[in-house]
Amino acid sequence: MQAYEFINSLIPPLKLTDRAGMALAWMEEIRTDSLPVADQGRFLGFISDEVIFELNNPDQLIGKIELEAGPCWVYSDKHIYDVLRVASENQSNLVAVLDRENTYLGVVTMEDAIAAFADSLSIKSQGSVMILSMNMSDYHLSEISRLVESENTKILSSFITNDPLDGNKIKLTLKLDKPELRHVKATLERFGYRVIDHYQEESGISSEEDRIGNLLRFLDI
């Protein structure tokens, strides 16, 4: 799941000789609030519709407008996780993709990255989600998996985050292949694991909106 696999070919880069009015027209057509700018294969940054509206000059050349530069890009061989990280750090809906010679290849949208991330975590698979809180020293996925499988259930994917309520603990989110959680929860708690939340899914995911919603719930955002 490398970044180049998810480049959105419908989002073209602007050139320095393009005009602000054309950029706004493209943004409206593509339904985005920013576009990448490239010159001779070099990524220069992004330009937003807000900046163009403030200029109020549709004939202004893109090359004369200050761009939102910064490190909002990844190399093409980076994992989709890195795309999400960079997008979050820069609060951007677009992340540029460069090859190892720093040649601009295209952009990945946040929506495409989230959808790919959701697929990698089995979010669209029917089942359930369970969240445990524990010390990092108590985290042994092989042991937890053994206990889960003792109840004829499998872990489809797992995700670790810091526990915002206790800096010394982590939260382990498990995606399980069965919707019924009662026996798994009881077994984990019997062996000293603290289950702080769980979600049961009665039906499969039917839409992109549902899938993204389940991703955010999976990450406990």
Side-chain angles (χ1 to χ4, degrees):
M1 298 183 67
Q2 295 179 324
Y4 76 88
E5 300 176 54
F6 303 97
I7 289 175
N8 192 317
S9 60
L10 298 179
I11 301 179
L14 293 165
K15 302 187 297 294
L16 295 178
T17 54
D18 290 331
R19 299 187 182 275
M22 188 193 77
L24 282 178
W26 281 10
M27 290 180 194
E28 183 176 357
E29 181 178 350
I30 301 171
R31 297 184 179 179
T32 183
D33 59 3
S34 63
L35 284 173
V37 180
D39 179 50
Q40 297 181 348
R42 284 190 310 122
F43 172 65
L44 302 179
F46 290 99
I47 188 168
S48 68
D49 56 1
E50 183 178 356
V51 169
I52 296 176
F53 282 131
E54 288 179 356
L55 287 172
N56 195 27
N57 182 1
D59 292 325
Q60 180 73 279
L61 295 178
I62 297 299
K64 299 293 184 180
I65 303 174
E66 184 175 355
L67 303 179
E68 299 171 8
C72 195
W73 58 271
V74 298
Y75 284 122
S76 59
D77 56 359
K78 288 295 185 179
H79 197 277
I80 198 68
Y81 293 177
D82 290 294
V83 175
L84 286 167
R85 176 183 56 78
V86 169
S88 176
E89 290 173 352
N90 291 273
Q91 297 184 331
S92 174
N93 289 322
L94 300 177
V95 175
V97 180
L98 315 181
D99 66 17
R100 286 292 174 173
E101 284 70 47
N102 291 319
T103 301
Y104 173 80
L105 301 178
V107 293
V108 177
T109 69
M110 189 64 169
E111 291 79 6
D112 290 341
I114 287 175
F117 189 46
D119 284 343
S120 74
L121 293 175
S122 305
I123 296 302
K124 65 180 181 179
S125 301
Q126 186 173 351
S128 56
V129 173
M130 179 177 290
I131 302 173
L132 289 70
S133 176
M134 67 186 72
N135 294 318
M136 188 63 190
S137 59
D138 295 328
Y139 170 64
H140 302 287
L141 187 57
S142 59
E143 172 65 12
I144 296 170
S145 180
R146 184 186 66 80
L147 294 174
V148 170
E149 290 181 3
S150 72
E151 297 296 339
N152 296 316
T153 303
K154 292 189 180 298
I155 298 175
L156 298 177
S157 57
S158 63
F159 194 84
I160 294 176
T161 56
N162 292 324
D163 191 332
L165 300 179
D166 189 338
N168 296 317
K169 294 184 180 295
I170 61 168
K171 292 168 66 175
L172 172 63
T173 303
L174 304 174
K175 176 63 188 259
L176 308 178
D177 69 340
K178 301 287 180 62
E180 174 55 54
L181 287 170
R182 181 177 50 180
H183 297 300
V184 173
K185 181 174 181 290
T187 296
L188 289 172
E189 289 178 337
R190 188 166 67 251
F191 281 85
Y193 290 99
R194 180 177 170 230
V195 178
I196 59 175
D197 215 342
H198 57 85
Y199 309 95
Q200 295 183 211
E201 300 169 358
E202 301 299 334
S203 61
I205 306 307
S206 58
S207 69
E208 189 72 16
E209 183 178 352
D210 286 337
R211 178 166 61 172
I212 292 174
N214 275 265
L215 171 64
L216 298 179
R217 186 176 67 180
F218 183 88
L219 299 179
D220 198 31
I221 295 176

